[in-house]
Each structure stands twice: as C-alpha cells, then as structure tokens.
Amino acid sequence: MSYYSDQQFQNLNSENFLPGEYEACHFSQCNFSGMNLQGFSFEDCFFTNCDLSNCKVPGVSFRGVNFDSCKILGIHFQSCNPFLIEFSFKNCQMDYCGFYNLQVKKTNFNSCRLLEADFTMANLTGSSFAGSELSGAVFDQTMLEKADFREAQNYRIDPELNRIKGARFDLDGLPGLLGKYGIKIG
C-alpha cells in the first residue's frame, strides 16, 4: 500500500486518487463523489471544499481528520474502522449520513447541515452541534451527555429515549425536547 505524508492535493477526482495511507495531508477542492474508499487510511488530514457524497467507506480509518466546507451526503460512517475513529466537521453539508452505534465522543458538527442523519445508539458524549441544522435527524438510544446544542436548529430529541445529562440547549430549543408532550411554549 502506498504511503503519503505532509502532501497537498488539489482538484483530485476518482480517476487520480490512489488507495493508500495518508498522513497529515491536505485535500482541497477534490471530487471523490460516489467513490469506494475501501483500502484508504487517513490520519491527521484536512479536507477543504471537497465533495465526498455517497462515498463507500467500509473499513476506512479516519483518525484526527477535519472536514471544512465539504459536501458529505449519504456516507454510512458506521461501516468505517471504529478503532481510534476521530473526526470533526465545520460548515459541512452532511444530509443522510449514518453514525449508527459509533463511539465518536467529543466530535464537532459545528454549523453543519445534518438533515435526516442517523445517530441511533451512537456515543456523542461531549460533542458539539452548535449552529447546525438537524431537521429529521434521528436520536434514539443516543448518548448525548455534555453535548452542546446551542444555536442548533430543528432537532427532536426525546429525553426518555436518550441520555442528555449535562447537555446544553438554548431556550429556543425547548420545543425540540418537549414536542412529544404536546406542550405549547411561548
């Protein structure tokens, strides 16, 4: 397997992106849409303004990976290699992504759009969803202790089905926590 370290990649696509181990690499304006990334490993890498929509990620390692302003639609992150998985997202479009049963504590999903993302049974302790759009996102049996939902919008979280001790919410977010009770606020 090829090894790449401390390299800059710009405008790559599926035809010229080779499987390998990528460490401390920066990917900018790349289009990997629909690509099968099996056999890839990313450690301490940065993706900026990239399109990874509908990528297949079975067994892919993401360790210390940062995504900024990327389009990441429909990726099933639960199929990644869970060993030491760590990533953060900022200003990303992440509709229909799956994080089912992943241990992704302290993950940042800041100012992201996560329409209908699936966080069922995920451990998101200490994670941040600050400023994110969460319409239709699924939180079921999810560990959300000490998570930050301030400035997040349109989430629906059932406190009886999820662990939310110490989580932070804005007053504007109360309907997302109490909606199932039919309580009218304001």
Side-chain angles (χ1 to χ4, degrees):
M1 179 180 291
S2 299
Y3 176 76
Y4 306 90
S5 179
D6 294 311
Q7 293 188 31
Q8 304 278 329
F9 298 96
Q10 190 167 3
N11 297 316
L12 286 179
N13 60 41
S14 60
E15 294 174 6
N16 53 18
F17 189 35
L18 302 173
E21 294 181 30
Y22 293 84
E23 184 176 347
C25 293
H26 191 140
F27 301 90
S28 177
Q29 299 175 342
C30 298
N31 184 354
F32 305 133
S33 181
M35 192 172 172
N36 186 343
L37 297 177
Q38 187 170 10
F40 285 77
S41 174
F42 303 99
E43 186 171 342
D44 299 323
C45 291
F46 293 86
F47 290 83
T48 306
N49 295 311
C50 293
D51 186 352
L52 293 103
S53 297
N54 298 311
C55 282
K56 309 292 183 261
V57 293
V60 174
S61 293
F62 290 103
R63 296 186 181 109
V65 178
N66 293 284
F67 297 92
D68 188 359
S69 303
C70 292
K71 187 175 180 183
I72 309 172
L73 303 177
I75 294 182
H76 299 282
F77 286 102
Q78 65 266 19
S79 65
C80 292
N81 180 352
F83 184 68
L84 298 176
I85 190 170
E86 180 188 359
F87 35 49
S88 68
F89 306 91
K90 181 180 176 188
N91 299 316
C92 291
Q93 185 178 354
M94 304 179 66
D95 304 348
Y96 313 108
C97 285
F99 297 89
Y100 176 80
N101 203 30
L102 275 181
Q103 302 293 312
V104 285
K105 296 178 182 180
K106 298 183 180 177
T107 299
N108 290 323
F109 299 94
N110 292 330
S111 300
C112 292
R113 193 175 93 176
L114 291 146
L115 305 183
E116 301 198 28
D118 184 5
F119 296 101
T120 301
M121 297 178 69
N123 186 341
L124 295 160
T125 300
S127 293
S128 174
F129 292 88
S132 289
E133 166 62 47
L134 294 160
S135 293
V138 177
F139 296 95
D140 185 11
Q141 307 293 316
T142 307
M143 175 72 77
L144 296 168
E145 293 183 354
K146 299 180 183 175
D148 187 352
F149 285 90
R150 290 177 293 175
E151 298 180 26
Q153 301 170 356
N154 301 315
Y155 53 83
R156 297 278 178 254
I157 298 171
D158 186 339
E160 294 176 16
L161 298 177
N162 299 283
R163 295 180 59 182
I164 61 170
K165 183 177 181 178
R168 301 186 72 172
F169 300 92
D170 287 327
L171 286 175
D172 294 343
L174 282 178
L177 292 172
L178 303 173
K180 84 172 208 172
Y181 302 109
I183 298 171
K184 296 185 190 235
I185 300 168

